[in-house]
Amino acid sequence: MRAPDGMHAFYHYAEKKGYSGVGIWSRQEPQRVIAGFDGGEFDAEGRYLRADFGNLSVISLYLPSGSSSPERQEAKFRFLDAFLPHLRALRAEGREIVLCGDWNIAHQEIDLKNWKSNQKNSGFLPEERAWLSRVFAELGWVDVYRRLYPEATGDAYTWWSNRGQAWAKNVGWRIDYQIATPDLAARAMAANVYKAQRFSDHAPLTVDYRQLPDGN
């Protein structure tokens, strides 16, 4: 995929057929780029790409979905088990970090339209939601959109099924996040889900941040 003029482009491609991979486009060239985090099962699916800019790290992330089969749900749980200690290690680095992407988990009831009927479905399972609660409460990461808009419902959705009239009726889920270290999250000024044009079953989440002291 060709980046826009003046942008640097980096990708972590999936080795397995049917997986999309992740990418980062940036105006500033990073000092370091890291593809993958576990060196095994999930790196082959192209799910993690990190770019370092001074004291700032930007990570493009794509968590597995478990909706296609029980086997994929078990793979999702394995990912969560492997990724939690990685998130803990990232916090220990002392850098400003933001993880952007499809987390494939709606955290709270206000994060999807039909929460009552989805409590046994992948993406809103109690175990998944509890895992995300640990990310915030135990490890200290911050859900940037929720920090800015704690009560938002329909405006917050970032994914809609292609079935039925989900997009037209705004029967959506909020499963795409920017999750950041506390100091960086506190620099967020505004966030928006871009819905003027539909690119896929997801909509882009953008966040405006005040500049860090080192200029990033």
Side-chain angles (χ1 to χ4, degrees):
M1 181 183 295
R2 184 176 181 273
D5 291 342
M7 302 285 277
H8 301 278
F10 305 92
Y11 305 100
H12 184 200
Y13 294 105
E15 299 172 14
K16 293 185 176 183
K17 183 178 180 181
Y19 295 88
S20 299
V22 291
I24 293 174
W25 291 352
S26 63
R27 291 187 177 88
Q28 181 179 334
E29 186 172 5
Q31 286 84 41
R32 180 174 69 159
V33 176
I34 302 172
F37 79 95
D38 77 329
E41 176 183 8
F42 299 107
D43 284 355
E45 297 179 358
R47 297 194 175 278
Y48 183 96
L49 184 66
R50 168 177 169 172
D52 291 346
F53 307 87
N55 193 47
L56 171 68
S57 294
V58 177
I59 296 172
S60 181
L61 183 67
Y62 181 15
L63 268 71
S65 170
S67 60
S68 62
S69 68
E71 291 75 20
R72 287 308 299 168
Q73 183 62 45
E74 288 304 314
K76 184 176 184 178
F77 285 137
R78 289 196 302 275
F79 182 99
L80 300 183
D81 288 342
F83 200 57
L84 194 72
H86 183 74
L87 287 170
R88 184 178 291 110
L90 286 175
R91 287 283 283 126
E93 290 188 26
R95 300 172 56 80
E96 299 299 345
I97 304 173
V98 58
L99 300 105
C100 312
D102 180 2
W103 289 70
N104 263 315
I105 302 171
H107 184 219
Q108 304 175 77
E109 293 172 1
I110 61 172
D111 290 325
L112 69 167
K113 178 69 173 181
N114 295 324
W115 68 268
K116 289 184 179 179
S117 59
N118 279 291
Q119 294 179 82
K120 295 183 179 180
N121 291 334
S122 181
F124 199 60
L125 295 174
E127 302 95 322
E128 298 170 333
R129 299 170 61 200
W131 180 89
L132 201 49
S133 291
R134 291 186 67 190
V135 170
F136 301 139
E138 179 181 316
L139 303 188
W141 292 93
V142 178
D143 179 346
V144 177
Y145 186 94
R146 274 287 168 241
R147 179 186 176 276
L148 291 168
Y149 312 111
E151 306 297 331
T153 54
D155 290 341
Y157 301 155
T158 62
W159 178 85
W160 300 260
S161 171
N162 285 321
R163 299 177 180 176
Q165 297 293 314
W167 169 261
K169 296 180 180 179
N170 198 27
V171 181
W173 295 51
R174 188 177 77 97
I175 57 175
D176 300 271
Y177 299 83
Q178 292 194 26
I179 292 178
T181 46
D183 287 349
L184 181 58
R187 291 180 171 272
M189 300 179 293
N192 180 63
V193 179
Y194 181 80
K195 302 176 186 177
Q197 181 180 355
R198 194 175 191 196
F199 302 97
S200 71
D201 52 353
H202 290 262
L205 169 65
T206 62
V207 179
D208 296 325
Y209 296 89
R210 287 184 289 110
Q211 194 172 54
L212 290 168
D214 65 0
N216 287 295

